[in-house]
Amino acid sequence: MTRLQALDPNEATGRSKELFDGIQSKLGMVPNMMRTMGNSAAVLEGYLNLSDALGKGTLGGRLGELIALAVAESNSCNYCLSAHSFIGEKLVSIDTDTLHMARAGRNKDPKIAAALTFTKTLVAKKGRVSADDVETVKAAGYTDGAVGEIVAHVALNIFTNYFNNTANTAIDFPVVEAETV
């Protein structure tokens, strides 16, 4: 059972209503996570702004989805695993094997694997990575800016994982469950 209620976009008012209208026009729906975030327009707007900014970054949508899956698996967030598995497969055209491997921080491409390993390290060490951890991801071909974007993607996904785990958000995508607890 959900612990924070999702707002009905048709009954929302003020800034949340404006944000819901923008989401609806872009996605054709307002996912339950965003409907729940809408209880605080500041929370929803903050999420949308960081997500939008990172979408314009250098890492690209494909790596962003793989990072999201690696973080969601680490945090046992079934909502985010479900959402990003769906988005990755249906909207970004990532095959299911690649999606599943990302959850463990793995990829066949060594450069992507390095980013996912760094992602898992960031989560495991709660951001307290070593100089060697940073040098390893940079040696795989990531610039200082790209490393910063990986950190930002991890932070955004930790936020959504913690939010959904707290809210126990009703999953409105095909359900994918974490393998780690």
Side-chain angles (χ1 to χ4, degrees), residues 111-177:
K111 184 174 181 180
I112 294 171
L116 296 178
T117 297
F118 185 66
T119 293
K120 290 294 227 181
T121 301
L122 274 166
V123 175
K125 292 184 175 182
K126 299 179 180 165
R128 306 280 304 164
V129 296
S130 68
D132 286 344
D133 296 327
V134 174
E135 285 308 313
T136 298
V137 74
K138 288 172 67 174
Y142 291 97
T143 64
D144 288 359
V147 172
E149 286 183 30
I150 293 169
V151 173
H153 274 278
V154 169
L156 176 65
N157 285 285
I158 287 173
F159 166 55
T160 59
N161 293 176
Y162 286 14
F163 182 87
N164 288 306
N165 285 342
T166 297
N168 200 30
T169 309
I171 299 173
D172 47 356
F173 298 93
V175 175
V176 175
E177 293 185 349

Side-chain angles (χ1 to χ4, degrees), residues 14-83:
R15 184 68 180 137
S16 289
K17 173 66 171 161
E18 293 171 17
L19 294 169
F20 286 166
D21 289 347
I23 295 163
Q24 178 71 39
S25 68
K26 185 175 181 179
L27 301 179
M29 65 176 285
V30 181
N32 284 337
M33 180 188 80
M34 294 177 204
R35 291 176 53 205
T36 306
M37 285 180 170
N39 284 295
S40 167
V43 169
L44 180 57
E45 192 164 16
Y47 162 75
L48 291 171
N49 286 341
L50 182 52
S51 182
D52 182 58
L54 290 174
K56 297 172 186 167
T58 61
L59 296 183
R62 178 181 176 85
L63 183 52
E65 291 305 317
L66 298 176
I67 290 170
L69 287 165
V71 175
E73 184 69 32
S74 295
N75 290 316
S76 299
C77 181
N78 293 337
Y79 186 92
C80 293
L81 283 169
S82 301

